[in-house]
Amino acid sequence: MNYKFNLASEDDLIVVTTYIKIRGKSLYYPLSLVLDTGASHTVIDLNMILVAGYDKGLRLDKNVKVQTANKIIDADKFILDEIRVIDRVIKDFEITTYDFLAQDDVLNYDGVLGLDFFRDTQLTIDFKTSELNIHL
Amino acid sequence: MQLEMLTLHEIYALHPNEWVLLGDPDIQDAEVLSGAVLFHSPDKRAVLDFAQRVIGQYGMVKIVFAGEMQKVSRLGIFKVTEN
């Protein structure tokens, strides 16, 4: 299944609709994540994780550093029950998270979809047709 | 109390350039079509704080910005903001 992206309307970025399972419910919460093949890990705004129903207390007992555009900041790890992009579904997916707003990252996107999500898949980005495909 | 469902167009008109918290929004393909306005403010932190207080009362809440965000381009780890 292909995913159509639109560079022109998304700040020249590939923005991917990503669904995370809402904790304790059978609903999926949609997030707008920027596909970043230069990012080793998936990073999501802590505020969106909390709004999706996850509890701060579920943060893993790990503290990590994240290099953002102009600084290195402290971040946390979370395990999402389930994350889905197109047909690619991963259960118990570990993400890195920090409070974007506290770092003055006021964006229209909820985070970055990094390479860790695409391990063991074949990812193709067709700029001619504006299509993204994940071959499982 | 039954909250009024508003379309995204109506929300943009009522609360321009504000962050808006919607309860039980109608979402299709990640695009918000409508929702009940629970809270709105130009201060995103205030909206986030309110969202975390009321989330248990709704199946889902969603935050939207009722306006155009500043265009941001990213080159790798570098961020360039256009004024």
Side-chain angles (χ1 to χ4, degrees):
Chain A
M1 183 179 167
N2 290 341
Y3 179 89
K4 294 287 282 186
F5 58 84
N6 188 336
L7 291 176
S9 67
E10 304 284 10
D11 295 341
D12 298 324
L13 299 166
I14 297 177
V15 178
V16 182
T17 300
T18 304
Y19 295 89
I20 62 172
K21 192 158 189 242
I22 298 180
R23 189 117 195 149
K25 297 179 183 173
S26 56
L27 292 170
Y28 288 84
Y29 196 86
L31 298 173
S32 296
L33 301 187
V34 175
L35 173 63
D36 187 352
T37 57
S40 58
H41 290 78
T42 296
V43 181
I44 301 178
D45 183 0
L46 175 63
N47 295 301
M48 291 304 112
I49 299 298
L50 299 179
V51 167
Y54 284 80
D55 190 282
K56 247 182 196 175
L58 293 170
R59 284 180 293 188
L60 300 179
D61 188 21
K62 292 181 188 175
N63 184 261
V64 293
K65 307 279 186 193
V66 171
Q67 182 172 358
T68 67
N70 52 8
K71 61 198 162 203
I72 296 175
I73 59 170
D74 290 318
D76 291 299
K77 291 282 192 180
F78 245 101
I79 301 277
L80 297 179
D81 290 354
E82 192 174 306
I83 183 170
R84 174 166 57 90
V85 175
I86 317 177
D87 291 335
R88 168 77 160 158
V89 179
I90 303 178
K91 293 184 186 297
D92 300 325
F93 184 66
E94 185 176 287
I95 59 156
T96 304
T97 181
Y98 70 93
D99 186 338
F100 283 20
L101 196 56
Q103 299 296 332
D104 291 330
D105 288 339
V106 183
L107 304 171
N108 212 11
Y109 311 111
D110 302 315
V112 163
L113 196 60
L115 291 182
D116 55 348
F117 182 80
F118 299 101
R119 281 189 192 135
D120 303 319
T121 72
Q122 184 182 45
L123 171 67
T124 56
I125 303 171
D126 188 335
F127 287 94
K128 284 185 177 176
T129 61
S130 297
E131 287 181 343
L132 178 76
N133 204 337
I134 306 169
H135 302 274
L136 303 178
Chain B
M1 186 179 71
Q2 184 79 21
L3 293 168
E4 185 183 5
M5 294 292 281
L6 300 176
T7 65
L8 202 58
H9 182 75
E10 290 170 325
I11 292 164
Y12 271 52
L14 280 171
H15 310 295
N17 297 313
E18 289 197 79
W19 295 93
V20 181
L21 178 69
L22 302 175
D24 293 330
D26 181 14
I27 298 176
Q28 284 183 11
D29 296 329
E31 186 181 349
V32 175
L33 302 179
S34 64
V37 175
L38 305 178
F39 190 76
H40 60 93
S41 169
D43 179 4
K44 188 177 183 182
R45 173 63 66 201
V47 178
L48 287 167
D49 289 346
F50 190 88
Q52 286 169 31
R53 288 205 301 273
V54 302
I55 185 171
Q57 301 168 34
Y58 299 89
M60 182 187 291
V61 297
K62 187 79 178 164
I63 296 169
V64 297
F65 182 70
E68 291 293 322
M69 296 287 290
Q70 187 179 35
K71 185 176 172 66
V72 176
S73 299
R74 285 175 182 269
L75 300 170
I77 62 170
F78 301 103
K79 181 166 71 174
V80 180
T81 303
E82 294 178 4
N83 293 318

